[in-house]
Amino acid sequence: MNSLRPLWVFTVLVIGVVGGYALQIFATTRGYPVPVLHWTSLVTMGAACLLTLVMGIRIKAYTSGRTKKRVNPIAAARTLVLAQASVYAGSTIAGWHGGILLGLLAAGGMGSAAVKSSLVMIGGALVMVIVGWVVEQFCKLPPEDPSDPAAKTEGKDEEGYAAGTN
């Protein structure tokens, strides 16, 4: 699997900012309410972060050698995918609410509840991004020690990747 690319995460953030700003301007000029998530969404985001962190800690305990209980490879792959999805979801939510915040500040709506809600959601989304990024690091395997006789190159190609057997 590929690791997260900061440029892609930044691109998702920028697209979220542009989308949030445009929809906020569109909605408020037509008399609709500002499209922000309610503060109760933090409960769902917190539960997703907690689940991701618990699964990541389990993987980290195995890869660091603190436990000998083998981790199912499918569960490890799912943990990695969940961590990466958390980063992208968090950057989307942060971008969306950042765009809304920019639109509200440009319109002079400093004291509105939407500004406070946007700030809270941006903070929660940043926590989600950080947790996802940390758990992705937990899922990386340490490099093999070349002096270790158990770490033979048998079954690997020239570049160190697992080679298929015929």
Side-chain angles (χ1 to χ4, degrees), residues 28-29 46 53 59 82 86-87 99 105 113 119 125 135 137 141 143 159:
T28 54
T29 57
L53 193 58
I59 301 296
L82 180 62
S86 293
V87 171
L105 295 178
L119 289 172
V135 170
Q137 300 307 309
L141 292 174
E159 299 176 18

Side-chain angles (χ1 to χ4, degrees), residues 62-111:
Y62 177 73
T63 59
S64 66
R66 288 186 304 202
T67 182
K68 298 295 181 195
K69 185 178 178 188
R70 187 163 154 72
V71 175
N72 184 344
I74 299 297
R78 287 178 180 158
T79 301
L80 179 61
V81 169
L82 180 62
Q84 291 179 348
S86 293
V87 171
Y88 285 120
S91 62
T92 302
I93 293 169
W96 178 264
H97 286 88
I100 289 172
L101 189 62
L102 283 175
L104 290 172
L105 295 178
M110 292 290 290

Side-chain angles (χ1 to χ4, degrees), residues 11-165:
T11 302
V12 168
L13 179 75
V14 169
I15 290 170
V17 168
V18 170
Y21 181 80
L23 195 60
Q24 188 273 332
I25 297 297
F26 179 81
T28 54
T29 57
R30 285 166 178 69
Y32 294 109
V34 179
V36 294
L37 291 175
H38 195 268
W39 294 20
T40 56
S41 300
L42 288 175
V43 174
T44 305
M45 290 169 56
C49 286
L50 184 64
L51 176 67
T52 305
L53 193 58
V54 166
M55 291 174 69
I57 289 171
R58 222 180 79 204
I59 301 296
K60 181 65 176 172
Y62 177 73
T63 59
S64 66
R66 288 186 304 202
T67 182
K68 298 295 181 195
K69 185 178 178 188
R70 187 163 154 72
V71 175
N72 184 344
I74 299 297
R78 287 178 180 158
T79 301
L80 179 61
V81 169
L82 180 62
Q84 291 179 348
S86 293
V87 171
Y88 285 120
S91 62
T92 302
I93 293 169
W96 178 264
H97 286 88
I100 289 172
L101 189 62
L102 283 175
L104 290 172
L105 295 178
M110 292 290 290
S112 72
V115 169
K116 294 173 189 164
S117 181
S118 290
L119 289 172
V120 169
M121 293 307 296
I122 290 170
L126 291 178
V127 168
M128 197 171 187
V129 168
I130 292 168
V131 167
W133 210 291
V134 167
V135 170
E136 185 203 25
Q137 300 307 309
F138 286 174
C139 293
K140 288 186 179 179
L141 292 174
E144 293 180 3
D145 185 9
S147 64
D148 184 9
K152 301 222 184 235
T153 58
E154 218 173 87
K156 293 184 180 179
D157 63 11
E158 307 84 45
E159 299 176 18
Y161 297 109
T165 58

